[in-house]
Amino acid sequence: MRLLGTTEVQSDSSEYRKHAKALAEVEPLVQKFREYKTVAGDVAQTEELAGAGDADMRELAREELKSLITRRDALLADLKVLLIPKDPNDQKNVMLEIRAGTGGDEAALFAAELFRMYSMFAERNGWRMEVMSSSDTGVGGLKEVIATIEGRGVYSKLKYESGVHRVQRVPATEASGRIHTSTVTVAILPEAEEVDVQINDKDLRIDTFCSSGPGGQSVNTTYSAVRITHIPTGVVVSQQDEKSQIKNKAKAMKVLRARLYDMELRKQQEAIAKDRRSQVGTGERSEKIRTYNFRDNRITDHRVHFTTHRLIEVLNGDLAELLDNVITHYQSEKLKDATAVS
């Protein structure tokens, strides 16, 4: 706070941003610790009163002491969570990728519903979402959609959403009323800056081709679509939403950078997981992480054994309760690991 008030820092925008970010990260911990010290002091004073004075005063002090101790212990628990080492990606924007899995049109329809759910959740949080590319089925479903979500703490909220989302319901086209099970995969990738991932031009093969699908006069006439292949990893990204080849290339590079960063991140996490009991943050996409059961109006997160009967509200963007339970679970796991190490 002192540095932010100096003219040297205020006159240098990069320095100001650096110190403002540092303050924003440490301030919640400092405020919580100050509150804890105050309550701990009140506990000590009240304990003295509870052991002295007349009977009425002692009884009042003992009653107040119970609530103060409860408050102190709650603050201590909060402090332990705040002291867990921060994920350096928590404040980053994300790349959201949703793909229809098994289940044909029903999977594609549910992919569209999940995209709508995340879109409405982003709107509730004041985040900005931009669709990078999408492929629809023509009947209201989505085979695939890739979008960026920008805002404060986006990755910290959504990072545990990666995985297989399963839906159980009777499709509108099912005459016999049988329940079908379909799957959709969701990937949440922290957006990578150029400083995070170094990509050599010699490692790229860039192909241009005519875009397909709706889009006006440029479709099938100009080579505006771009396909980038990262030769060392084999990662391929195609982009054709823009009429400009330059804009499509920029978008494709953004997606490629995020995917390569995510691959490197997962390698690091897998190496750490070999030495640690916890698998927190691995986000294995082969795992079924959640089931959406329409008949029972139920959502179950299998990782944390949490169930809510607010399926419609969640699909309308009210994800806070569900995400909070998942985040709390993984924070507890990290806290156990931190305690075991110490």
Side-chain angles (χ1 to χ4, degrees), residues 14-294:
S14 62
E15 280 293 299
Y16 185 86
R17 283 196 301 271
K18 183 179 78 174
H19 291 302
K21 182 181 177 182
L23 178 63
E25 289 175 355
V26 77
E27 199 166 26
L29 174 62
V30 172
Q31 289 177 347
K32 189 72 69 175
F33 180 62
R34 286 173 177 165
E35 189 178 353
Y36 170 78
K37 286 206 315 185
T38 299
V39 174
D42 291 342
V43 167
Q45 290 179 3
T46 309
E47 283 176 336
E48 289 181 13
L49 291 173
D54 57 42
D56 289 340
M57 180 64 73
R58 287 199 301 272
E59 186 60 31
L60 284 171
R62 285 172 189 149
E63 287 300 315
E64 185 179 357
L65 188 59
K66 290 178 184 177
S67 63
L68 283 171
I69 289 174
T70 300
R71 178 64 183 149
R72 181 196 64 188
D73 292 347
L75 287 166
L76 186 59
D78 290 343
L79 277 170
K80 287 179 179 178
V81 171
L82 287 169
L83 284 166
I84 295 172
K86 297 291 186 293
D87 185 333
N89 291 315
D90 273 352
Q91 296 305 314
K92 288 193 173 185
N93 301 325
V94 305
M95 195 78 67
L96 167 68
E97 299 185 359
I98 300 176
R99 293 180 178 84
T102 57
D105 285 343
E106 174 64 10
L109 287 168
F110 190 60
E113 289 182 68
L114 286 185
F115 179 64
R116 176 178 174 273
M117 176 184 77
Y118 290 121
S119 300
M120 295 182 75
F121 182 66
E123 187 177 343
R124 284 171 181 250
N125 284 275
W127 299 338
R128 178 177 174 270
M129 177 179 275
E130 179 187 1
V131 175
M132 304 289 285
S133 66
S134 64
S135 174
D136 61 56
T137 61
V139 291
L142 285 171
K143 296 176 186 174
E144 175 187 275
V145 60
I146 301 173
T148 57
I149 305 178
E150 299 176 357
R152 184 172 180 178
V154 179
Y155 185 73
S156 67
K157 288 286 187 184
L158 296 179
K159 61 182 173 182
Y160 299 119
E161 289 299 282
S162 292
V164 176
H165 295 240
R166 181 176 71 172
V167 59
Q168 295 174 326
R169 65 181 173 186
V170 179
T173 55
E174 177 56 62
S176 63
R178 289 187 301 115
I179 293 176
H180 284 225
T181 298
S182 305
T183 61
V184 171
T185 60
V186 173
I188 301 292
L189 316 179
E191 189 176 68
E193 303 293 336
E194 289 189 29
V195 293
D196 295 325
V197 178
Q198 297 296 327
I199 301 175
N200 294 323
D201 290 340
K202 65 179 182 179
D203 291 335
L204 301 178
R205 186 175 71 244
I206 301 176
D207 303 307
T208 57
F209 55 97
C210 294
S211 57
S212 59
Q217 294 180 348
S218 64
V219 174
N220 296 322
T221 59
T222 61
Y223 285 80
S224 57
V226 174
R227 181 188 300 110
I228 300 178
T229 304
H230 186 250
I231 298 169
T233 61
V235 174
V236 180
V237 177
S238 296
Q239 184 68 39
Q240 63 174 23
D241 281 20
E242 302 286 346
K243 294 180 181 180
S244 162
Q245 186 184 117
I246 294 173
K247 289 182 179 179
N248 278 328
K249 182 182 177 184
K251 279 190 171 184
M253 285 298 295
K254 197 172 185 180
V255 174
L256 176 64
R257 194 172 285 113
R259 288 186 184 172
L260 293 178
Y261 182 67
D262 184 61
M263 287 173 65
E264 188 59 35
L265 197 62
R266 288 180 184 281
K267 284 180 186 176
Q268 293 173 8
Q269 289 171 338
E270 286 167 9
I272 293 169
K274 290 179 182 178
D275 300 323
R276 295 172 62 213
R277 176 183 56 80
S278 172
Q279 297 294 316
V280 172
T282 59
E284 294 178 9
R285 293 176 198 161
S286 60
E287 292 181 354
K288 172 190 66 184
I289 66 166
R290 195 174 293 152
T291 295
Y292 304 73
N293 186 296
F294 277 70

